């Protein structure tokens, strides 16, 4: 088991020292048979030091479609403003969602309440939202089951216990055929049920709209509002629904959400394009909404953050502030965190004997020569042809300048020689003139 030497691993190696316990969850770079996965996972765990490595096993088809396909053939070109290189396939997008879902499932097997989950790079754009939904839904359902609470859609208040067994047969409007059961219902009970449901002979449409959950939904306090649990405030309810029941249900579920909330951060190690470029991707809305599931999104530069805010406005319809986005009862903070080199690690490496040996070897090999050093991966987004052309132009101009300098030095030496000759002739003539005067 060897640690990766990539830029992401190198950048994070110094950060993990700040935490007592760290889990590194990722694809190990191979696709072994299922019978070997458990053995290899145990071997990786045993070889781990402070950072415990948890593998996410992918099938070779998913590796091809998710990594080589969607990530590197669809996302990578667009993130670098190179739309002519982008390629799209529906199978790639399906594999991308499937693998992101698999990552979310593995993360939830080790994540506990209030853990910090740090997700990296464009390969996992959908994981933050998936984690949020999977975790919250699972715990809310468990708590609701324990409390015996009836779950309903978020914009509707819960059913009252008294309503669950009294909802009987409602008399149908005239002109519609009635069922056999309706014919056996007593008239007085039907009238009672009709009155309880808000129907009467004098039906007021405006009054009904104001007394329905839809008409009064703007007055509800959200279930995720921390003030409900901390201050114990009463929840506003629509007319006809008991305040105690909805208060008890919303308070219990809210407390579960607060106590089990995962702290999710996302950092993008690549540029983020403008809306005009990202909208080329068929799944652009899913990508933006997926990463909005994080509590914090980090970018390299403010320009990338600005492009992301533009995409949030145009693709999702939310109105972000300068440093955060409020959406669906959640706040996602935005930040700029320029990543740098691990200076401390570089300084420690320069003090090793191995570095001293390499330095001596290179000094002897390239003594008296000039070096052009460029550390870059072989990728079209790095501008390698342009860089090589620049190096070639530099060498050509350096040679031309050297020739010009040589010619210039020759001309100067010739001019200096002629000056010396003129000076000698002047001295000889001066000597002859002096001797003639003495005579």
């Amino acid at each position: 088991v060897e640690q990766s030497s990539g830029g992401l691993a190198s950048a994070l190696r110094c950060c993990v020292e700040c935490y007592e316990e760290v889990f590194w969850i990722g694809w190990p770079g191979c696709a072994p048979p299922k019978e070997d996965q458990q053995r290899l996972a145990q071997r990786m765990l045993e070889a781990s030091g402070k950072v415990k490595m948890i593998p996410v096993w992918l099938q070779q088809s998913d590796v091809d479609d998710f990594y080589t396909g969607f990530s590197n053939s669809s996302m990578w070109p667009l993130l670098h403003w190179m739309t002519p290189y982008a390629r799209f396939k529906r199978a790639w997008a399906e594999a991308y969602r499937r693998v992101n879902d698999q990552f979310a499932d593995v993360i939830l097997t080790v994540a506990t309440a209030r853990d910090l989950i740090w997700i990296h790079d464009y390969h996992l754009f959908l994981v933050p939202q998936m984690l949020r939904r999977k975790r919250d839904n699972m715990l809310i359902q468990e708590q609701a089951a324990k409390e015996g609470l009836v779950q309903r859609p978020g914009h509707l208040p819960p059913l009252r216990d008294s309503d669950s067994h009294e909802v009987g047969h409602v008399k149908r409007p005239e002109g519609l055929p009635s069922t056999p059961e309706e014919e056996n219902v007593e008239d007085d009970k039907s009238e009672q049920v009709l009155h309880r449901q808000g129907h009467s002979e004098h039906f007021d449409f405006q009054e009904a709209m104001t007394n329905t959950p839809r008409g009064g939904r703007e007055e509800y306090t959200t279930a995720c509002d921390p003030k409900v649990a901390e201050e114990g405030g009463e929840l506003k309810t629509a007319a006809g629904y008991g305040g105690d029941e909805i208060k008890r249900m919303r308070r219990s579920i809210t407390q579960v959400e607060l106590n089990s909330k995962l702290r999710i951060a996302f950092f993008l190690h690549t540029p983020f394009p403008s809306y005009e470029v990202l909208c080329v991707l068929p799944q652009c809305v899913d990508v933006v909404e997926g990463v909005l599931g994080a509590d914090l999104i980090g970018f390299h530069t403010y320009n990338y953050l600005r492009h992301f805010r533009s995409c949030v406005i145009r693709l999702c319809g939310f109105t972000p502030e300068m440093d955060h986005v409020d959406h669906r009862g959640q706040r996602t903070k935005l930040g700029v965190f320029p990543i740098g080199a691990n200076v401390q690690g570089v300084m420690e490496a320069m003090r090793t004997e191995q570095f001293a040996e390499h330095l001596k070897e290179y000094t002897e090999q390239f003594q008296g020569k000039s070096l052009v050093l460029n550390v870059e991966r072989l990728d079209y987004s790095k501008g390698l042809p342009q860089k090589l052309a620049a190096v070639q132009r530099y060498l050509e101009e350096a040679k031309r300048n050297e020739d010009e300098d040589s010619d210039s030095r020759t001309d100067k030496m010739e001019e200096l020689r002629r000056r010396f000759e003129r000076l000698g002739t002047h001295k000889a003539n001066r000597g002859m003139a002096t001797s003639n005067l003495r005579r």
Side-chain angles (χ1 to χ4, degrees):
V1 179
E2 297 180 357
Q3 290 186 351
S4 173
S5 59
L8 172 60
S10 301
L12 296 181
R13 195 165 291 132
C14 61
C15 300
V16 298
E17 302 298 331
C18 304
Y19 298 93
E20 298 179 357
E21 186 178 25
V22 178
F23 291 90
W24 188 292
I25 302 175
W27 176 55
C30 59
K34 290 186 177 180
E35 54 270 16
D36 296 335
Q37 293 179 1
Q38 184 64 28
R39 177 178 58 84
L40 293 175
Q42 184 63 29
R43 183 178 177 182
M44 292 177 62
L45 192 60
E46 294 174 355
S48 302
K50 180 179 180 180
V51 181
K52 299 178 176 60
M53 293 178 285
I54 308 295
V56 179
W57 302 111
L58 305 179
Q59 300 179 3
Q60 188 59 46
S61 59
D62 286 340
V63 174
D64 296 337
D65 293 341
F66 156 76
Y67 185 77
T68 307
F70 192 86
S71 297
N72 289 343
S73 298
S74 299
M75 290 296 305
W76 179 266
L78 297 181
L79 292 173
H80 293 83
W81 288 275
M82 294 190 172
T83 54
Y85 292 93
R87 299 291 181 268
F88 309 100
K89 287 186 179 180
R90 184 176 289 107
W92 294 353
E94 294 174 354
Y96 185 82
R97 177 173 292 277
R98 184 166 58 250
V99 171
N100 275 248
D101 188 75
Q102 188 174 347
F103 265 85
D105 290 338
V106 175
I107 292 172
L108 289 177
T109 60
V110 297
T112 59
R114 306 301 297 170
D115 275 352
L116 173 60
I117 301 175
W118 198 358
I119 303 169
H120 291 270
D121 231 357
Y122 61 98
H123 308 84
L124 304 176
F125 269 135
L126 307 182
V127 171
Q129 191 67 263
M130 289 180 173
L131 280 176
R132 190 73 66 197
R133 292 176 178 175
K134 287 175 178 286
R135 177 76 175 183
D136 290 350
N137 290 342
M138 177 179 63
L139 293 177
I140 291 174
Q141 290 174 2
E142 290 179 357
Q143 183 67 16
K146 291 180 181 179
E147 300 294 335
L149 301 174
V150 179
Q151 289 187 287
R152 303 188 70 194
H155 68 283
L156 297 178
L159 289 173
R160 295 181 298 178
D161 295 337
S162 58
D163 290 341
S164 59
H165 61 276
E166 292 184 1
V167 177
H169 299 283
V170 180
K171 185 177 181 180
R172 298 194 177 201
E174 296 183 2
L176 294 180
S178 59
T179 61
E181 291 80 1
E182 287 179 331
E183 296 177 354
N184 297 329
V185 177
E186 299 179 0
D187 293 338
D188 57 343
K189 188 173 182 179
S190 297
E191 292 296 330
Q192 181 182 1
V193 173
L194 286 171
H195 180 71
R196 184 169 58 248
Q197 294 297 328
H199 296 278
S200 64
E201 295 180 358
H202 304 285
F203 183 77
D204 191 337
F205 179 81
Q206 184 65 27
E207 180 182 359
M209 287 298 296
T210 58
N211 289 337
T212 57
R214 177 176 295 275
R217 68 176 183 268
E218 298 297 336
E219 300 180 355
Y220 298 144
T221 303
T222 61
C224 298
D225 190 352
K227 295 181 180 179
V228 177
E230 295 175 359
E231 301 177 2
E234 288 284 348
L235 289 175
K236 298 180 181 180
T237 62
Y241 294 92
D244 294 337
E245 290 83 352
I246 187 172
K247 176 182 176 182
R248 183 174 65 254
M249 177 179 181
R250 291 291 178 88
R251 280 177 57 84
S252 63
I253 291 183
T254 301
Q255 196 62 44
V256 173
E257 291 176 339
L258 293 177
N259 293 339
S260 63
K261 180 177 175 61
L262 297 174
R263 297 179 297 164
I264 303 175
F266 183 94
F267 186 80
L268 183 63
H269 293 260
T270 66
F272 195 89
S274 63
Y275 161 77
E276 290 78 10
V277 176
L278 187 65
C279 68
V280 176
L281 183 70
Q283 296 78 23
C284 57
V285 177
D286 295 337
V287 166
V288 176
E289 289 190 345
V291 73
L292 279 177
D295 297 295
L296 173 65
I297 305 175
F299 302 91
H300 277 297
T301 68
Y302 177 74
N303 279 339
Y304 303 159
L305 187 153
R306 179 170 57 87
H307 292 321
F308 180 78
R309 291 176 67 249
S310 176
C311 292
V312 169
I313 295 173
R314 299 187 180 188
L315 296 176
C316 304
F318 305 126
T319 305
E321 299 296 334
M322 186 67 68
D323 60 349
H324 68 271
V325 183
D326 291 328
H327 57 100
R328 299 189 179 95
Q330 178 187 344
R331 170 164 292 187
T332 298
K333 295 183 179 180
L334 309 176
V336 177
F337 312 102
I339 194 171
N342 183 7
V343 178
Q344 186 65 28
V346 173
M347 297 298 294
E348 293 177 357
M350 293 176 64
R351 289 191 288 266
T352 61
E353 296 181 359
Q354 185 179 8
F355 174 80
E357 295 177 357
H358 283 298
L359 180 60
K360 181 180 179 181
E361 177 184 351
Y362 293 149
T363 302
E364 295 175 354
Q365 181 178 357
F366 301 105
Q367 187 173 5
K369 299 180 181 179
S370 299
L371 295 180
V372 178
L373 182 63
N374 181 44
V375 180
E376 208 72 81
R377 57 183 290 186
L378 295 177
D379 187 86
Y380 53 82
S381 65
K382 305 304 180 182
L384 294 179
Q386 290 78 11
K387 292 179 181 179
L388 293 176
V391 172
Q392 182 180 1
R393 180 177 177 180
Y394 166 77
L395 296 176
E396 291 175 352
E397 292 185 355
K399 185 177 185 303
R400 184 166 54 253
N401 293 335
E402 183 179 0
D403 294 340
E404 293 176 355
D405 291 343
S406 178
D407 296 339
S408 177
R409 284 195 300 268
T410 303
D411 296 340
K412 290 180 180 179
M413 291 296 294
E414 185 66 24
E415 177 65 23
L416 184 61
R417 185 182 62 80
R418 287 195 295 266
R419 291 180 62 184
F420 280 136
E421 290 178 354
R422 287 195 300 268
L423 181 59
T425 304
H426 177 69
K427 286 183 177 181
N429 294 335
R430 184 179 179 183
M432 292 176 60
T434 302
S435 62
N436 291 332
L437 288 174
R438 289 177 181 177
R439 292 177 182 176

